Amino acid sequence: MAISLVEVAMGRMLPDGLIYPNLQILILDAFKYDSTNASDAFFVEMKALKVLTLTYVQLSMKSLQFPTNLRTLHLKYCILEGISSLGKLKRLEILSLEGSEFDKLPDELGELSQLRLLDLSYCCTLKRIPSNVLRRLSHLEELYMGRTYYSSWAVEGMNAETSNVSLSELNSLPRLTHLLLHIHDKCLPKDFAFSSTLQSYEIEVN
C-alpha cells in the first residue's frame, strides 16, 4: 500500500490517529510556505513503512521510532529536532537529508550499519560532524555533500574525542564508490589523495 501527496496544502499540523498498518510507502510533499508540523504520534500506526519521503515538514526524529522497518528515508528541506533518534532505524539503507535544517550529525548515525547512501547536499546549517561517525558506516557506497560547503573538517592528529570528522575517514570506507564533495583547500592534508575505489566523483575545492 502506498500514499503520495505532492505539493498540497496540508495546514499547520498533520493529523494524528491515522491507522495504516499495511502502509509501506508514504510521500508527503507539503506546500513550501505552510510550515507543516508532524507530531510525535503521527507514525504510531504505520509500523510497516519501508519508504518515507517528507518535504517542507517540521518534525522530531523521535516520531520515527515506530516504523522500525524503514529502508529509505528522504527528509527534504525539513526542520529536524531530536536527530539523534536516527540511530534507532537499524534497517535503514538510504538516508537523504537534502536541504534540511540541523546543526550536527549525531554520533548515533554511526550505528546504521546497513546504510548504503547518505545525502547531505544543501545542508547549509550543518556545523559539526563528529569524528568516527562516517568511518563506522562500513557499508556506505554513496556519499553526497554537494553545495553543503561543510568547512569544519578536522586537521589530522587532533584529539579524536573533541575533533570533527577528517577527510581520511572517507578513505577508510571500503565500499565507497560515489562521492560528491565541496571542500576548502585548508582542509586538505599535505599529499592527501582520495581512495582509488571511487568510480564516480565530483570534488570541488574552494
Side-chain angles (χ1 to χ4, degrees), residues 178-195:
H178 295 71
L179 176 65
L180 176 57
L181 193 64
H182 293 94
I183 55 177
H184 299 285
D185 57 358
K186 65 180 181 180
C187 303
L188 284 168
K190 185 179 180 180
D191 300 325
F192 179 82
F194 286 96
S195 172

Side-chain angles (χ1 to χ4, degrees), residues 7-155:
E7 292 186 359
V8 295
M10 288 183 266
R12 295 276 179 181
M13 180 67 71
L14 294 174
D16 290 336
L18 299 179
I19 301 176
Y20 292 108
N22 298 316
L23 186 65
Q24 295 190 17
I25 301 174
L26 176 61
I27 301 172
L28 295 179
D29 186 352
F31 186 64
K32 182 175 181 179
Y33 301 105
D34 269 355
S35 299
T36 301
N37 287 263
S39 75
D40 289 356
F42 181 71
F43 299 101
V44 170
E45 300 297 337
M46 303 182 190
K47 295 182 174 63
L49 267 183
K50 292 184 178 179
V51 178
L52 173 62
T53 296
L54 299 178
T55 308
Y56 296 119
V57 175
Q58 180 173 344
L59 78 158
S60 169
M61 301 300 291
K62 294 180 181 179
S63 63
L64 296 177
Q65 63 182 304
F66 302 104
T68 55
N69 289 314
L70 270 179
R71 304 294 202 279
T72 299
L73 177 61
H74 293 276
L75 300 176
K76 300 166 63 177
Y77 298 95
C78 293
I79 300 175
L80 306 180
E81 302 171 359
I83 195 171
S84 61
S85 296
L86 271 174
K88 297 180 180 179
L89 303 176
K90 304 297 185 183
R91 299 184 179 182
L92 205 61
E93 298 179 4
I94 296 174
L95 173 61
S96 173
L97 302 176
E98 178 187 348
S100 290
E101 295 185 23
F102 60 98
D103 58 3
K104 175 187 175 184
L105 208 62
D107 291 282
E108 289 82 357
L109 185 77
E111 299 173 12
L112 303 182
S113 59
Q114 302 303 311
L115 199 65
R116 296 187 292 107
L117 183 151
L118 176 61
D119 189 353
L120 301 174
S121 298
Y122 297 96
C123 292
C124 298
T125 62
L126 177 60
K127 303 300 181 186
R128 181 158 190 254
I129 303 175
S131 61
N132 296 318
V133 171
L134 296 183
R135 189 192 306 274
R136 291 153 60 196
L137 302 176
S138 59
H139 283 73
L140 196 66
E141 300 172 7
E142 303 179 42
L143 175 62
Y144 302 105
M145 295 181 66
R147 303 301 173 185
T148 299
Y149 292 110
Y150 180 73
S151 60
S152 299
W153 296 94
V155 177

